[in-house]
Amino acid sequence: VIDAKASLVKQYGNAGKRNQAIDLYKKTLIESIKRNYLDGIGSLYNNYACLLYNEAAYDSAMHYFEKSLLMREKDNDKIGTIIALNNIGSIYYAFSEYKKGLEYLEKAAKKEAEAGLEEGTYVSINNIGYIYIGLKLYRKSFYYFKKAEKIELKTDDVSSLVFTYDGMATAYQSIKRPDSALIYSFKSLELAK
């Protein structure tokens, strides 16, 4: 029941039902703490942080992603740890702290490999590509965007492909190749529609 409620917190947030998400988060967190249910606590912190991230409240989101990471590590939850590391890397990207973000994303990718998961299962390879754009290492950004594209085409992950093509457009624009940037911008736009 707690897991379903934690998932519902995220769904409410994604649907723009902020107040319902926060109310359910608070009630379910109390219930999880009373039961000492670490998995539920970690999920709730993560999902609440996602709500804050979507509102661009990055400092607060970072706080709760870090709390989620602590719970996930304490519970020896490999998947949850990977997700938390990926999310923290995303926050550092939002802060333009690219090297720090890359550090967390690489930790997550390493844990993903150690768990025997296919690359890109939980770690957003797009995030790594965007960080390399921030570091002005465009060749590396293209490498990761191409890897992401391959995975997303294979799994028919259209929503992620939108971000991959947008990232490629940004990288091409950065190296002054407007024709290629335009091609990928249109690809991204068409998929988004």
Side-chain angles (χ1 to χ4, degrees):
V1 175
I2 289 175
D3 294 329
K5 289 178 183 178
S7 180
L8 194 55
V9 168
K10 191 170 189 177
Q11 290 172 26
Y12 278 151
N14 290 341
K17 298 178 179 179
R18 184 185 198 285
N19 292 339
Q20 287 167 297
I22 292 171
D23 287 344
L24 184 59
Y25 160 76
K26 288 177 182 177
K27 289 175 186 170
T28 311
L29 183 62
I30 291 167
E31 186 180 343
S32 297
I33 290 169
K34 281 181 183 174
R35 294 182 183 188
N36 196 32
Y37 184 48
L38 299 181
D39 189 43
I41 297 168
S43 290
L44 286 161
Y45 284 151
N46 179 76
N47 295 347
Y48 183 61
C50 287
L51 173 74
L52 296 167
Y53 181 87
N54 291 337
E55 295 175 346
Y58 299 128
D59 287 326
S60 297
M62 175 68 90
H63 174 74
Y64 285 97
F65 281 139
E66 287 174 339
K67 288 178 79 145
S68 176
L69 178 60
L70 289 173
M71 285 295 119
R72 304 299 189 139
E73 289 175 336
K74 190 174 180 180
D75 194 35
N76 198 27
D77 176 356
K78 291 178 184 175
I79 303 301
T81 298
I82 292 166
I83 291 169
L85 289 167
N86 183 62
N87 289 336
I88 291 169
S90 298
I91 294 283
Y92 278 116
Y93 173 80
F95 287 148
S96 299
E97 292 184 39
Y98 305 121
K99 288 182 181 176
K100 194 77 171 165
L102 187 59
E103 179 185 316
Y104 277 88
L105 292 171
E106 286 176 339
K107 279 183 194 175
K110 183 179 177 189
K111 288 191 177 293
E112 196 171 59
E114 288 169 358
L117 299 167
E118 185 176 348
E119 186 177 30
T121 303
Y122 291 98
V123 177
S124 175
I125 297 174
N126 281 329
N127 289 349
I128 297 172
Y130 276 104
I131 282 185
Y132 277 120
I133 289 174
L135 292 169
K136 298 182 178 6
L137 297 170
Y138 304 112
R139 190 170 286 176
K140 284 194 171 190
S141 73
F142 283 119
Y143 171 77
Y144 281 97
F145 287 133
K146 285 292 184 185
K147 280 177 105 169
E149 179 187 36
K150 185 177 177 183
I151 293 166
E152 292 153 5
L153 288 172
K154 180 178 159 188
T155 59
D156 199 30
D157 184 353
V158 176
S159 60
S160 294
L161 203 50
V162 169
F163 292 104
T164 299
Y165 289 150
D166 180 64
M168 291 170 96
T170 302
Y172 276 121
Q173 186 67 33
S174 299
I175 61 171
K176 311 263 189 274
R177 298 216 11 225
D179 291 345
S180 296
L182 199 56
I183 288 168
Y184 282 98
S185 290
F186 278 123
K187 281 185 170 193
S188 179
L189 180 62
E190 287 305 309
L191 287 174
K193 287 180 182 177

